[in-house]
Amino acid sequence: WPKGEEVKEMVVDKNLVMSDAQVLTASTVFYSTNVIDTEVADSNIGAGTPLWLVCRINTTLAGTSGTLVVALQNCATSGGTYLDIAISPAYTTAQCVKGFDLLTIPLPVDNLRYLGMRYTPATGTGYPTGKVDALITTQAPRN
């Protein structure tokens, strides 16, 4: 994908989108707008055809939060407690420009039925002008 390419242009199945230009407006933990229901307990959807988690900055972040950490989470039930299965480093606001990959990894093979994202800005005002995308795709990431 060329730098700055819109993530949503590569998506065929909207059921695999967790965040589509999601705004992170305050200094609180945010969860993805959508949760992916694999419809099978212990789905292990990462096995077989390679799948990729892509979490990317859609619109450059601006604010006073200082850092942002994102995590892929899973849970056995839709209303249960979600646990991290992959977590990013803490990225500074200066790093979080349009097209920057926050967490782009092969989808873990062992996962539970429900998948979602957690976004954790450090203290401050959050990112009132920034947006993030997160999705699962079969398209391998750029170098």
Side-chain angles (χ1 to χ4, degrees):
W1 308 307
K3 186 165 180 80
E5 177 181 323
E6 295 295 323
V7 173
K8 60 187 167 198
E9 290 179 12
M10 75 178 100
V11 176
V12 175
D13 188 345
K14 286 291 190 181
N15 293 321
L16 298 178
V17 176
M18 292 174 275
S19 295
D20 184 7
Q22 184 171 341
V23 178
L24 309 177
T25 57
S27 60
T28 185
V29 174
F30 288 87
Y31 296 94
S32 54
T33 307
N34 301 310
V35 172
I36 296 173
D37 180 358
T38 65
E39 299 183 3
V40 178
D42 296 322
S43 64
N44 302 327
I45 64 171
T49 301
L51 297 175
W52 295 87
L53 166 70
V54 177
C55 182
R56 182 175 292 165
I57 299 294
N58 174 293
T59 304
T60 299
L61 301 186
T64 62
S65 287
T67 62
L68 176 66
V69 174
V70 300
L72 173 64
Q73 298 188 309
N74 70 5
C75 187
T77 61
S78 64
T81 301
Y82 283 74
L83 301 174
D84 296 345
I85 55 174
I87 192 165
S88 77
Y91 293 112
T92 66
T93 302
Q95 291 175 290
C96 294
V97 297
K98 180 179 175 123
F100 182 76
D101 286 340
L102 296 164
L103 187 62
T104 298
I105 59 170
L107 188 68
V109 173
D110 294 323
N111 47 67
L112 301 174
R113 179 173 173 170
Y114 297 91
L115 297 169
M117 297 295 295
R118 176 180 51 83
Y119 307 101
T120 308
T123 59
T125 60
Y127 299 106
T129 63
K131 298 176 183 174
V132 296
D133 295 323
L135 56 99
I136 294 173
T137 181
T138 58
Q139 193 171 351
R142 62 182 179 236
N143 293 331

